[in-house]
Amino acid sequence: MYSNRMFFPLTTIVKNLLIINGLIFLAQQTFDKEAAYDLFAQHHFLSKDFRPHQIITALFMHGSVEHLLGNMLGLYMFGTKLELVWGPKRFLTFYLVCGIGANIISGMATLAETYPVISDLNFLQEHVSVRNFNMLLSKYDWIRMSITPEFKTMLEANPPVPGINKDIFLATGELKDLATRSTLVGASGAIFGLLAGAAYLFPDDIILAGMFFPIKMKWFALIYGGAEVYLALQNRPDDQVAHVAHIGGALVGFLMVYYSYRRGNRRKLF
């Protein structure tokens, strides 16, 4: 019933999403990039800069040309056939739900990861003392590395430096800002949702991995998804890729398609 071609003509929503993402990236580079991130990138849920709309607007921002091109290639590869099968409205709904779900899951994971240190910092601000601050330094390496040698000397002074508690209070506030400084941008979560949906509906379709190597969709999704889980579990400090958002988008996409088709409701999806 459906063609197994690897390349399809651009569909309406895919084409418009390509244009919108391209124009927004151009605007990021043309105007104040830092201001754009402050307003539209998704911040840590406990950050003073977080706003609910960022869960959506972050889907249309990208950190680099490579980031943009990789996601837009995925949008074309996995999205065009889905839109041909579902139609524009249902495809757009699926795309947005996957992307928003991915961003929420990623935000919740980041919140869970940082909540212990934020709780400790809140406790310190309520019970300011050199002793409590030094306990925090012994517990978290990144805090110990963040303070200046001058401030460390002040903490070690005996008798205590006059006004040290005020300095500790202010330093704790800065550390809270540092702990919640992470931002999330990109359509990757939505793209992984498209990948999961396409792999479920068209498991034997052939795609070109890396634009050169033909592989069945189901194997590509399993290999790529497994790699994302592995990298997320590694949680390397130097890895700036939002692997949890990728996994979250794939999970949302798979569950939406699985439960829709499990009901046998092929014509009225979602």
Side-chain angles (χ1 to χ4, degrees):
M1 181 177 179
Y2 304 123
S3 171
N4 192 29
R5 292 184 300 166
M6 287 184 285
F7 301 102
F8 291 88
L10 277 177
T11 49
T12 302
I13 299 299
V14 169
K15 178 178 69 177
N16 286 328
L17 286 173
L18 290 172
I19 293 171
I20 291 169
N21 278 276
L23 290 176
I24 290 176
F25 183 76
L26 182 61
Q28 285 178 236
Q29 308 308 309
T30 304
F31 301 106
D32 190 337
K33 186 174 182 179
E34 185 175 340
Y37 264 69
D38 288 343
L39 289 172
F40 302 119
Q42 180 176 314
H43 290 72
H44 192 291
F45 286 167
L46 294 181
S47 169
K48 64 181 185 300
D49 295 319
F50 172 73
R51 301 291 183 275
H53 70 263
Q54 295 168 356
I55 294 172
I56 300 174
T57 56
L59 289 174
F60 299 94
M61 300 182 66
H62 291 85
S64 67
V65 173
E66 295 79 10
H67 189 199
L68 173 69
L69 293 179
N71 279 340
M72 295 305 96
L73 176 62
L75 172 61
Y76 170 75
M77 289 175 63
F78 312 128
T80 47
K81 190 169 182 179
L82 289 174
E83 186 177 350
L84 286 170
V85 173
W86 291 340
K89 182 178 178 180
R90 289 172 183 154
F91 172 74
L92 180 59
T93 298
F94 183 78
Y95 178 87
L96 291 176
V97 171
C98 287
I100 293 169
N103 286 354
I104 292 174
I105 290 171
S106 179
M108 293 301 294
T110 302
L111 177 61
E113 182 181 6
T114 56
Y115 188 77
V117 66
I118 293 169
S119 296
D120 286 343
L121 290 168
N122 286 334
F123 177 84
L124 178 59
Q125 283 195 317
E126 295 171 2
H127 304 85
V128 179
S129 72
V130 173
R131 178 177 178 273
N132 286 340
F133 195 87
N134 283 328
M135 288 176 62
L136 208 66
L137 292 181
S138 65
K139 189 174 181 180
Y140 299 105
D141 289 338
W142 71 270
I143 293 181
R144 188 165 57 252
M145 295 171 60
S146 299
I147 66 171
T148 64
E150 293 79 11
F151 190 59
K152 185 177 180 181
T153 301
M154 291 172 63
L155 293 170
E156 295 172 347
N158 189 15
V161 174
I164 186 64
N165 282 356
K166 180 180 179 181
D167 292 330
I168 289 174
F169 184 88
L170 294 174
T172 304
E174 293 174 0
L175 289 169
K176 285 171 64 176
D177 288 342
L178 190 61
T180 58
R181 190 172 290 176
S182 63
T183 55
L184 175 69
V185 295
S188 304
I191 304 305
F192 269 80
L194 300 184
L195 171 59
Y200 183 85
L201 294 179
F202 320 116
D204 295 321
D205 274 16
I206 302 297
I207 65 169
L208 294 178
M211 298 303 294
F212 295 105
F213 307 103
I215 184 174
K216 286 187 176 182
M217 185 81 75
K218 59 184 177 184
W219 301 125
F220 179 79
L222 286 172
I223 293 169
Y224 205 171
E228 289 297 316
V229 171
Y230 172 78
L231 291 170
L233 292 174
Q234 295 300 301
N235 196 24
R236 289 173 15 214
D238 60 331
D239 189 351
Q240 300 300 309
V241 178
H243 300 291
V244 175
H246 298 174
I247 297 166
L251 180 63
V252 172
F254 173 79
L255 291 176
M256 287 180 69
V257 176
Y258 175 76
Y259 283 107
S260 296
Y261 277 79
R262 188 166 175 260
R263 294 195 301 266
N265 191 8
R266 290 178 176 267
R267 291 188 177 275
K268 295 182 179 180
L269 192 62
F270 317 138

